[in-house]
Amino acid sequence: QVQLVESGGGLVQAGGSLRLSCAASGRTFSSYAMGWFRQAPGKEREFLAAIRRYVYDKHYADSVKGRFTISRDNAKNTVYLQMNNLKPEDTAVYFCAAGDCSGYGCYDRDAYDYWGQGTQVTVSS
């Protein structure tokens, strides 16, 4: 069992930055691929980025490539999402997730077994 807790959301102006954190419980954190998703009101949950377990492969959605960076610190059981040049359309609830996936499989939310409760990100224009 893995429990995930996101933090770092908030209100930011367009062009600003935020760093989200996702702290995981359990001793097997390093064995999981970790992903970040977001969900805006009335929209589907959208894949943003993923980082695999032992091999530090990273994958990004086109909508955030070049602006968002995913990283992980296995010693701290934490995965991060650095978000730069934020836009009003980035406003959403952001979720982290843990699962077993590889390659484009990590884009699929069904590949993830554990989810955090989400953190709100609001970008004002």
Side-chain angles (χ1 to χ4, degrees):
Q1 192 78 8
V2 176
Q3 292 186 327
L4 304 172
V5 179
E6 302 96 337
S7 61
L11 174 64
V12 64
Q13 289 188 330
S17 298
L18 283 174
R19 188 176 81 155
L20 305 183
S21 299
C22 173
S25 65
R27 294 179 293 176
T28 58
F29 171 78
S30 63
S31 67
Y32 287 97
M34 299 298 297
W36 284 98
F37 290 73
R38 69 185 177 191
Q39 189 165 17
K43 294 190 175 181
E44 295 284 323
R45 191 165 295 190
E46 173 191 13
F47 168 79
L48 299 176
I51 183 167
R52 289 186 61 200
R53 39 186 184 175
Y54 301 112
V55 179
Y56 285 75
D57 283 348
K58 301 178 183 181
H59 302 273
Y60 295 95
D62 288 342
S63 59
V64 303
K65 198 172 294 182
R67 299 191 298 125
F68 291 9
T69 302
I70 190 170
S71 61
R72 67 189 297 165
D73 185 337
N74 288 336
K76 295 183 178 180
N77 279 12
T78 302
V79 62
Y80 304 97
L81 187 69
Q82 177 67 44
M83 307 187 295
N84 299 327
N85 190 22
L86 284 161
K87 305 175 182 180
E89 53 264 41
D90 294 317
T91 296
V93 178
Y94 284 67
F95 299 88
C96 68
D100 183 11
C101 61
S102 62
Y104 286 107
C106 292
Y107 287 58
D108 184 354
R109 59 186 178 185
D110 291 337
Y112 297 87
D113 300 310
Y114 304 102
W115 292 83
Q117 83 289 348
T119 185
Q120 176 70 45
V121 171
T122 303
V123 184
S124 64
S125 57

